[in-house]
Amino acid sequence: MLETVFVLLLIIDHEIKEHRIQPNLSTCLKGKRYAQRADRGNDRIQHKCIKSKAEIEINITDGSKTIKKLILE
């Protein structure tokens, strides 16, 4: 299933290591600020909020969404 979502990215050494779906942009920016404070002083780590298309998978048991593949354009 293809969907446009807000995603909080964890980038280490210019490579995406983790991605989390966020409900809206303000929640994403709040999470980004929190993560940046925790990783202060480490130049290798970046946090970024993006709005992107993604291939989404819905968990049958609890209905949560996970990203199978990000489509960066």
Side-chain angles (χ1 to χ4, degrees), residues 31-69:
K32 177 184 172 186
R33 284 190 304 271
Y34 183 81
Q36 284 177 327
R37 287 185 195 124
D39 295 331
R40 187 173 290 168
N42 194 338
D43 295 336
R44 295 176 45 218
I45 298 174
Q46 280 185 305
H47 302 277
K48 193 179 234 182
C49 288
I50 64 168
K51 182 179 180 181
S52 178
K53 289 183 181 177
E55 197 173 306
I56 301 293
E57 183 175 68
I58 298 175
N59 188 334
I60 296 172
T61 57
D62 64 358
S64 63
K65 296 179 180 179
T66 57
I67 297 173
K68 285 177 63 176
K69 180 170 66 170

